[in-house]
Amino acid sequence: MTVRHMPRTSREKSRTGIYHILLRGIYRERVFEEDIDKLELMRIINNYVVVMGKVVNGKFVAETIVISE
């Protein structure tokens, strides 16, 4: 099976400066193999916050979100 990806246009800069970050596995695959992977992501985000002088209003990491139909 060939998977084709559509090119993505640049995101517009938010007037409020508030952004939502979402990571999702393709085809519902796991994004994090182990808990240490989640911690590494939090470390990277925290480092960005300090270096760039940004503010994080909240963090939430979920294994999976199941939507029943």
Side-chain angles (χ1 to χ4, degrees):
M1 175 171 95
T2 302
V3 177
R4 297 179 191 262
H5 299 282
M6 298 292 292
R8 185 175 236 169
T9 59
S10 297
R11 301 217 186 265
E12 292 183 26
K13 191 168 185 174
S14 169
R15 289 182 293 231
T16 64
I18 298 173
Y19 295 91
H20 174 90
I21 300 171
L22 173 73
L23 300 175
R24 181 174 54 191
I26 298 172
Y27 303 116
R28 297 186 182 193
E29 291 178 359
R30 292 178 62 126
V31 174
F32 306 106
E33 291 295 322
E34 299 178 19
D35 287 342
I36 193 77
D37 300 328
K38 292 180 213 173
L39 294 173
E40 178 63 10
L41 174 63
M42 292 295 107
R43 187 195 65 76
I44 291 168
I45 292 172
N46 289 335
N47 186 54
Y48 172 80
V49 167
V50 169
V51 169
M52 300 301 291
K54 301 296 180 185
V55 174
V56 173
N57 293 320
K59 298 176 194 169
F60 175 74
V61 178
E63 282 295 317
T64 52
I65 299 173
V66 178
I67 301 172
S68 57
E69 298 177 15

